Amino acid sequence: MNYLFLDNGFEEIEAITTIDLLRRANIALTTVSVTGNPMVLGAHNIAVEADGLLDKIDFSDAEMLILPGGQTKLGEYSALCDLLVEHNKADKLIAAICAAPAVLGKLGILEGKQATCYPGFQDALGESYVGGLVVESKNVITAKGPGLSADFAFCIIERLKGSDVADAVYDAAQY
């Protein structure tokens, strides 16, 4: 199972595009509210009902953890931070876009890896920051911002299901 985490203020295009394209690729994906409420409000006042709550899910089957960016406080949820750190220690897959790679940087997850993020968040990535649009490095995928949401999702699809599936979804979406 793969999990995408939502906090109030999430960037809708990053979350919804990723959810949509991964599900088109038949990738098992559960959306998770970190707020304690299944209804989460995006940065542009679009409400989304998450599939589950952070404190109610057993993540032992997690293959990939995905963080959309936006004006969120994902890095302030200790249960999520602990999960990310443990997932990384097990060399499992993590993906983050826009401001969310800053959470990974602050947790030390990007050490020895390359990453990108939304302009202004580079300091949190430290020496890992290399710029770029979508960066895949070891077990981590990062992307610069909202305009790269589809590219981010296709990179995740290719990593989880291979290039044939990514290409099929790419073609079906007329991207």
Side-chain angles (χ1 to χ4, degrees):
M1 181 60 67
N2 303 282
Y3 298 93
L4 184 141
F5 297 88
L6 298 171
D7 184 21
N8 290 317
F10 72 91
E11 183 64 55
E12 292 97 339
I13 192 171
E14 295 167 1
I16 302 303
T17 299
T18 303
I19 294 163
D20 180 88
L21 292 173
L22 269 61
R23 289 185 175 169
R24 287 174 189 253
N26 294 314
I27 292 172
L29 179 69
T30 297
T31 57
V32 181
S33 169
V34 298
T35 69
N37 184 336
M39 197 60 71
V40 187
L41 189 62
H44 302 96
N45 296 317
I46 299 173
V48 172
E49 185 173 358
D51 299 320
L53 302 174
L54 177 64
D55 61 352
K56 303 286 186 201
I57 296 176
D58 174 7
F59 294 98
S60 61
D61 66 346
E63 183 176 7
M64 179 180 275
L65 306 178
I66 304 168
L67 305 178
Q71 301 168 3
T72 73
K73 298 178 181 172
L74 289 173
E76 296 179 16
Y77 294 93
S78 60
L80 176 59
C81 292
D82 292 345
L83 178 63
L84 288 164
V85 168
E86 290 306 312
H87 203 72
N88 184 60
K89 283 182 184 174
D91 203 33
K92 292 184 177 182
L93 301 172
I94 300 172
I97 185 171
C98 195
V103 174
L104 306 183
K106 290 175 183 175
L107 294 173
I109 291 171
L110 298 177
E111 289 180 24
K113 299 170 187 153
Q114 295 181 329
T116 192
C117 63
Y118 193 79
F121 290 89
Q122 303 92 310
D123 289 349
L125 276 60
E127 293 181 11
S128 296
Y129 180 75
V130 295
L133 303 178
V134 178
V135 177
E136 192 172 354
S137 182
K138 299 181 182 176
N139 64 316
V140 175
I141 297 168
T142 55
K144 190 171 183 177
L148 294 153
S149 298
D151 299 85
F152 176 68
F154 285 121
C155 187
I156 293 169
I157 293 167
E158 186 167 340
R159 185 71 178 260
L160 293 174
K161 289 276 196 152
S163 60
D164 288 345
V165 173
D167 289 345
V169 175
Y170 186 91
D171 289 343
Q174 296 292 293
Y175 187 71

